[in-house]
């Protein structure tokens, strides 16, 4: 995350110095690229052209692999498709020849289509499965290219397209590729610094938190696969132009490995890292002849070393800012008085969340056995009970992660559909998790901004091209996130990587994230676990203040003191059934509760 | 060399170009003749390049030991392309722009050559290569490219001539592996059989990694094939075909690709007799006559280099072709009196019946296919000795 | 003809099935799908040929040494590519570490052994080449041995039960005081032996060829995907069916279309039933 998405500081706000610091490495690389032809020969220009073309593909794939964390190891298939589409259309051996730029557009279209087709199984398949399907697809594409002789020329191949003047010279073509590479870098950086980029990383590192924040994976990944496929298709056309002649042999699995490994060596969630890695990996085999033979072995070794020793890749090595030590004696000082600014702007709330006769078992064990529960707006509802009594499961039923066998949850009388956790956030239901779900490599501010992802107005395309609505969204989300952080008392840590925070700070960060939704209902899963007495007191005050703004809070907790201090109502669960329900005062004296649970 | 390098770093590409144009004649007299050799020395299908390489190195050493060409030594610049077109393009450009060679020999496989040929043509780089694909040679488009080996259509003609006219068979199955070479050649070879009035009763490509080829063989037999034309460079696939042929008890001849005679095939087949009735494309100069001797001048070369060039684990024509390639470059510099690209190409265009070891070559401004059809013969696959084969039955 | 297709289909299917079991054994011990599964099969063939053909060892010694070396390769996978990433929060790091190791093994063999397929010795000289040849029934026999062996191991030995306990519930098993790490290493050694056995038994069918690793990786994974993760019975049945289907497709369509057909069936089944046809335990997410 470090230098790219890690700093979601929009240019207009981050100050000229910050922007410069971020842009400088890219400017240096592309500047060096511009000078290269003047100080070397056509050979190095060719290698640089190759690196630029590979980067065009890798920059798009980076969103899939580096940001969304989808292990697409067979992306060379898109290069193949793009190369053949461009070449065949420009040559005119099937249809009448089309102008070369139209052929490139067609390649982008074909790449986008297949990017989507190959990418969509990612919604259903787990990591290794997805990796295997992309690998299988890459094999099939090559085989079809071989067999479909009338179109692809089979093993003889087809000549690559020839660009019009002045792009048909070594230098002209190189500068064209370099400009496209810079353009792609800019586009992917825009996405990285948008709510889409953050959401992608969130689905990668904290999928359930992303769903609870209302991020819909299909709607998020769809445009990414389209975009990534499209620019891979264009890269394919450029590759065919560079090779001047393409045969299926040119599209080796080694090439696919290069693309994939460049991203991981560069660092997931970074743009600069993969760019450096792409250039280095393209150049490495040219550096010394023996490396040609051992190049793939070398790439693999590099990958292993990176995974085991530097999981953050080059980007982590370059991330100097987050090596500075943090202040060790820091306190979380929430400012509940700011809550009206956040929650006061909501539309007036209606009814409550109601659970009726919910039954749910896990492998024969009844986790919930006929539960009734109502969460009223503006109240704090405590849910206590021994381990395994069904507290978190209740929460998961409300959030749609668990599907009950009987009964169900309603909001304002309308049923909350089970199995659709991403629909809860738009209904104003937010939650935290027993184990905080965070994006470790992203800044605290970023993590909080993820919570407001669904409030953005701009589309993926607008972010890609950095259009006004993208900037408006970014400014709004950033402002709100800072306000939320100020409210929970974490503002000084806004720019720190989230995985450097203490456990208690992460609990407050999760609350800040939920505040981004301006929730009507807030479900907190053991927020006081691991907090000091002081922190628990401040947390209590914060929760209480949130409820006073009209938000209904469901508080799952073990700390009886906290429950009795801030709750308006308390429900005690035992073995999935309601043991007792009432005001804290009633529960405190409830015979069974006292003997079975409170032990006092 | 040093002078050009400095010019390069001081003045950039533009100046370097002028520098080489103006300054070269002055240093040309003593400068070595730089020959680029694009070889797939490692990776799959590296066997031919390893064979060529032995001949190339022998020829370079021999010429340099004899004092070079017009007093200039030959400097060999080798780059391993691994059979990967991408690496071949990089390597070709390196030879042209960085090493600034005077002529290039290679690449050695068609996939690579298809990609490098336009690049070399753009740089007007004199190039000889042994790749089979017809479209690689086109004196109008690529006036710089010359072929030392047969073209695919020559090979198709030779094999189908043998099947139809010498063996007098009518019904053929044509199969290849699923590589670029295999798929393409299945199509062209089928056309060649059809042109001679034979029936192509079965036509398919087989994945070289397919563990069992019984289904394919059964279909060929069911289709009534009298002979099978095999186009694959995969010893694994070829040996499976031979073993399956024996297991089925099907007495059908195989004709086609020289790989069927490779030593690997001999080691992969289950029984030595599975190798019988297999006739591969060969070359007159590299075939043992009824007396067990090669043509005189080739026999003399083999005898002379015995112990210096290992022939047991390679194919003779690869080695001889490598020698011829270097000789033809050296001869061009000798005759043209310069390493100027146009001078080399001009000389090659006049080569007529040049008595090489591998074949007798003739090139002209409108024909850059050097090998005469009469040099192509068929050999018996299981008769390899020192990289050469016995002529197949049917040759007088 | 039918017999020929069935025999070659079952033989190659048995190899796929065993590689599928190799995947499963590693997965059960560690929840890790390893790209080295297919490479173990490749090593079985290459090492068998190296020991017996190149070094001239007696077949039985070569066999034992091959299995030992593959067991070692399995343990190496555990130590190098699995153990270091198990603790990581990042669920998928193992995909990368095992991919890296698999590529390293494959490239090393390609460079040091050969990029061309090399012969694998005949072991018993039985069957004379027809459909009853040893190259067909040796893999089937090896698959049977694996099935029976695993059954005996899991049902009748203490170690086997410990394996099952680990597979069922990692945390609970550790809480019971089972030596989780040693059991995991033993599982990887076992996976190595099964993969090596698959490669050795199919040596004559697939030859000693470095690229078999990638091939087996894919075709060995298909039975796992179809049969359900961790489900050995599903893997065996799916593997055998896949082998016969592939050979039948080879016969009916030939060449490229057979691969396309296998891939299409794989994708369709996977999308329709991501848990596989025989089911696999669902995982809790929250």
């Amino acid at each position: 995350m470090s230098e790219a998405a890690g700093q979601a500081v929009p240019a207009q706000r981050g100050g000229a110095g910050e922007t410069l610091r971020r842009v400088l490495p890219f400017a240096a690389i592309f500047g060096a690229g511009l000078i290269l032809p003047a100080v070397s020969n056509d050979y190095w220009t060719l290698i640089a052209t190759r690196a630029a073309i590979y980067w065009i593909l890798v920059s798009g794939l980076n969103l899939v692999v580096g940001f969304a964390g989808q292990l697409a190891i067979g992306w060379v298939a898109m290069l193949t498709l793009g190369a053949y589409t461009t070449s065949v259309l420009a040559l005119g051996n099937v249809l009448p020849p089309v102008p070369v730029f139209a052929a490139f557009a067609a390649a982008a279209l074909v790449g986008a289509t297949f990017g989507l087709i190959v990418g969509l199984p990612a919604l259903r398949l787990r990591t290794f499965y997805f990796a295997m399907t992309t690998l299988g697809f890459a094999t099939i594409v090559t085989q079809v290219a071989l067999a479909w002789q009338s179109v692809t020329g089979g093993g003889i191949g087809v000549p690559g397209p020839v660009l019009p003047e002045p792009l048909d010279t070594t230098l002209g073509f190189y500068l064209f590729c370099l400009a496209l590479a810079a353009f792609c870098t800019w586009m992917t950086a825009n996405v990285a610094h948008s709510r889409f980029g953050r959401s992608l990383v969130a689905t990668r590192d904290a999928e359930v938190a992303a769903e609870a924040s209302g991020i819909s994976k299909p709607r998020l990944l769809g445009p990414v696969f389209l975009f990534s496929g499209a620019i891979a298709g264009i890269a394919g056309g450029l590759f065919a132009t560079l090779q001047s002649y393409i045969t299926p042999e040119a599209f080796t699995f080694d090439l696919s490995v290069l693309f994939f490994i460049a991203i991981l060596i560069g660092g997931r969630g970074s743009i600069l890292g993969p760019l450096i890695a792409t250039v280095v990996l393209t150049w490495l085999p040219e550096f010394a002849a023996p490396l040609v033979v051992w190049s793939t072995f070398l790439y693999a070794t590099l990958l292993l070393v990176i995974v085991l020793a530097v999981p953050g890749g080059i980007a982590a090595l370059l991330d100097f800012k987050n090596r500075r030590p943090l202040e060790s004696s820091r306190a979380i000082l929430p400012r509940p008085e700011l809550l009206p600014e956040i929650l006061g702007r909501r539309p007036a709330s209606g009814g409550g969340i109601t659970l009726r006769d919910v039954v749910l078992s896990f492998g024969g064990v009844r986790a919930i056995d006929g539960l009734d529960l109502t969460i009223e707006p503006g109240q704090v509802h405590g849910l206590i009970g021994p381990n395994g009594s069904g507290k978190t499961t209740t929460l998961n039923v409300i959030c749609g992660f668990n599907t009950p066998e009987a009964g169900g949850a309603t909001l304002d009388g309308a049923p909350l559909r089970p199995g659709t956790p991403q629909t809860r956030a738009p209904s104003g239901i937010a939650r935290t998790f027993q184990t905080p779900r965070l994006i470790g490599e992203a800044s605290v501010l970023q993590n909080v901004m993820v919570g407001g992802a669904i409030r953005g107005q701009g589309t993926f395309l607008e972010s890609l091209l950095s259009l006004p609505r993208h900037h408006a969204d970014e400014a709004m989300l950033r402002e709100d996130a800072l306000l939320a952080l100020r409210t929970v008392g974490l503002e000084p840590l806004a720019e720190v990587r989230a995985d450097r925070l203490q456990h208690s700070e992460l609990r407050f960060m999760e609350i800040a994230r939920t505040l981004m939704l301006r929730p009507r209902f807030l479900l907190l899963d053991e927020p006081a676990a691991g907090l000091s007495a002081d922190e628990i007191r401040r947390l209590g005050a914060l929760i209480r203040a949130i409820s006073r703004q009209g938000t209904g809070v469901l508080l799952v907790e073990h700390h009886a003191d906290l429950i009795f201090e801030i709750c308006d109502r308390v429900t005690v669960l035992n073995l999935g059934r309601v043991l007792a329900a009432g005001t804290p005062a009633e529960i405190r004296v409830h015979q069974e509760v006292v003997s079975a649970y409170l032990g006092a | 060399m040093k002078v050009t390098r400095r010019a390069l770093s001081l003045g950039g590409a533009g100046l370097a170009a002028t520098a080489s144009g103006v300054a070269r004649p002055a240093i040309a007299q003593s400068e070595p003749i730089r020959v680029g050799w694009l070889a797939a020395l490692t990776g799959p299908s590296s066997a031919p390049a390893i064979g060529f390489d032995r001949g190339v190195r022998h020829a370079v050493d021999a010429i340099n030991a004899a004092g070079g060409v017009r007093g200039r030594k030959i400097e060999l610049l080798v780059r391993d392309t691994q059979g990967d077109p991408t690496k071949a393009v990089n390597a070709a450009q390196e030879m042209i722009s960085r090493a600034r060679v005077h002529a290039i020999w290679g690449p050695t496989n068609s996939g690579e050559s298809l990609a490098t040929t336009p690049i070399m043509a753009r740089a007007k780089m004199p190039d000889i290569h042994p790749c089979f694909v017809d479209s690689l040679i086109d004196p109008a488009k690529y006036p710089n490219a010359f072929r030392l080996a047969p073209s695919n259509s020559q090979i198709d003609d030779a094999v189908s001539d043998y099947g139809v006219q010498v063996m007098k068979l009518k019904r053929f199955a044509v199969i290849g592996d699923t590589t670029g070479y295999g798929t393409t050649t299945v199509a062209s070879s089928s056309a060649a059989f059809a042109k001679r009035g034979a029936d192509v009763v079965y036509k398919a490509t087989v994945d070289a990694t397919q563990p069992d080829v019984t289904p394919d063989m059964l279909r060929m037999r069911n289709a009534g094939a009298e002979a099978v034309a095999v186009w694959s460079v995969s010893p694994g696939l070829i040996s499976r075909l031979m073993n399956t042929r024996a297991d089925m008890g099907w007495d059908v001849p195989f004709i086609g690709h020289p790989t069927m005679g490779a030593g690997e095939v001999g080691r992969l087949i289950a029984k030595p007799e599975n190798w019988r009735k297999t006739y591969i494309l060969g070359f007159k100069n590299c075939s043992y006559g009824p007396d067990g001797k090669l043509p005189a001048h080739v026999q003399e070369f083999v005898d002379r280099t015995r112990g210096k060039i290992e022939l047991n684990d390679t194919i003779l024509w690869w080695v001889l072709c490598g020698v011829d390639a270097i000789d033809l470059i050296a001869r061009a510099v000798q005759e043209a009196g310069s390493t100027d690209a146009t001078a080399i190409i001009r000389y090659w265009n006049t080569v007529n019946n040049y008595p090489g070891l591998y074949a007798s070559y003739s090139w002209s401004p409108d024909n850059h296919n050097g090998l005469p059809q009469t040099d192509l013969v068929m050999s018996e696959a299981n008769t390899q000795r020192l990289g050469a084969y016995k002529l197949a039955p049917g040759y007088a | 003809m039918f017999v020929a297709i069935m025999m070659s289909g079952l033989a190659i299917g048995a190899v796929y099935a065993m590689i599928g079991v190799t995947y499963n054994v590693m997965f059960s011990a560690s929840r890790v799908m390893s790209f080295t599964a297919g490479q173990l099969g490749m090593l079985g063939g290459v090492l068998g040929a190296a020991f017996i053909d190149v070094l001239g060892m007696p077949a039985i010694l070569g066999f034992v040494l091959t299995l030992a070396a593959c067991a070692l390769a399995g343990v190496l996978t555990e130590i190098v590519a699995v153990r270091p990433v198990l603790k990581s929060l990042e669920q998928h790091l193992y995909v990368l570490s095992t991919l890296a190791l698999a590529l390293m093994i494959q490239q090393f063999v390609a460079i040091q052994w050969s990029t061309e397929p090399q012969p694998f010795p005949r072991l018993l000289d039985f069957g004379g080449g027809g459909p009853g040849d040893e190259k067909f029934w040796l893999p089937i026999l090896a698959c049977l041995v694996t099935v029976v062996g695993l059954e005996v191991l899991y049902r009748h030995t203490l170690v086997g039960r410990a394996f099952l306990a680990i597979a069922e519930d990692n945390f609970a098993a550790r809480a019971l005081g089972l030596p989780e790490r040693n059991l995991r290493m033993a599982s990887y050694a076992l996976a190595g032996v099964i993969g090596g056995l698959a490669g050795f038994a199919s040596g004559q069918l697939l030859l000693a060829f470095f690229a078999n690793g990638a091939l087996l990786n894919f075709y060995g994974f298909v039975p796992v995907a179809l049969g359900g993760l961790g489900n050995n019975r599903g893997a065996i049945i799916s593997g055998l069916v896949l082998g016969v289907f592939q050979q039948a497709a080879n016969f009916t369509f030939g060449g490229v279309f057979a691969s396309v057909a296998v891939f299409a069936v794989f994708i369709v089944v996977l999308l329709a039933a991501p848990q596989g046809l025989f089911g696999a335990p669902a995982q809790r997410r929250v």
Side-chain angles (χ1 to χ4, degrees), chain A residues 38 42 50 146 155-156 244 286 292, chain B residues 79 86 90 97 114 178 180 184:
Chain A
D42 279 0
R50 197 175 285 291
L146 273 171
I156 298 280
S244 72
E286 309 298 320
V292 174
Chain B
R79 234 191 100 158
T86 308
N90 288 357
S97 312
L114 284 164
T178 51
T184 311

Side-chain angles (χ1 to χ4, degrees), chain B residues 342-359:
Chain B
T342 45
I344 292 178
I345 293 169
R346 199 182 312 126
Y347 168 73
W348 282 347
N349 274 326
T350 64
V351 166
N352 188 22
N353 219 0
Y354 173 92
L357 290 168
Y358 162 51

Side-chain angles (χ1 to χ4, degrees), chain B residues 166-192:
Chain B
V166 180
M167 297 175 92
K168 312 266 184 238
L169 298 176
K170 277 257 159 273
R171 300 159 66 81
F172 294 89
V174 183
I175 58 165
D177 56 32
T178 51
T179 64
Y181 176 72
T183 43
T184 311
T185 314
V186 165
S188 61
S189 172
S190 303

Side-chain angles (χ1 to χ4, degrees), chain A residues 10-12 190 462 465-476:
Chain A
Q12 70 269 32
N190 287 337
E462 283 170 286
L465 301 173
S466 189
L467 298 179
R469 276 217 291 189
H470 159 73
H471 291 290
D473 283 347
E474 284 308 293
M476 177 269 290

Side-chain angles (χ1 to χ4, degrees), chain A residues 248-316:
Chain A
E249 293 148 46
F251 304 93
T252 56
F253 179 59
D254 291 3
L255 203 52
S256 215
V257 170
L258 183 148
F259 299 149
F260 183 71
I261 290 182
I263 293 170
L264 296 155
I265 290 176
R268 296 188 316 152
S270 162
I271 291 177
L272 181 62
L275 170 59
I276 295 173
T278 305
V279 174
V280 170
L281 291 190
T282 312
W283 167 77
L284 209 57
E286 309 298 320
F287 171 67
L291 293 184
V292 174
V293 181
W294 288 92
S295 58
T296 301
F297 185 86
L298 203 70
Y299 296 163
T301 315
L302 266 175
L303 177 63
L304 191 64
V305 169
I306 288 282
V307 169
L308 299 185
V310 207
I314 295 176

Side-chain angles (χ1 to χ4, degrees), chain A residues 71 124 127-129 132-133 136-137 140 143 147 211 260 264 268 293-294 297 300 303-304 307-308 396 401, chain C residues 23 33 35 80 84 90 92 94-97 100 103-104 111-112 217 221 229 259 263 267 271 274 285-286:
Chain A
L71 304 178
R124 271 182 84 88
T127 50
F128 188 86
Y129 281 58
M132 273 293 177
T133 50
F137 181 72
I140 294 295
Q143 296 214 357
E211 282 178 48
F260 183 71
L264 296 155
R268 296 188 316 152
V293 181
W294 288 92
F297 185 86
L303 177 63
L304 191 64
V307 169
L308 299 185
N396 284 341
F401 286 110
Chain C
Y23 271 116
M33 292 296 285
F35 272 103
V80 174
E90 310 248 10
H92 65 270
Y94 69 82
V95 180
L96 308 178
S97 58
L103 280 172
M104 285 164 73
I111 295 167
Q112 297 299 329
N217 247 351
F221 173 67
L229 210 51
S259 331
F263 182 70
I267 287 289
L271 289 181
R285 305 175 62 212
V286 188

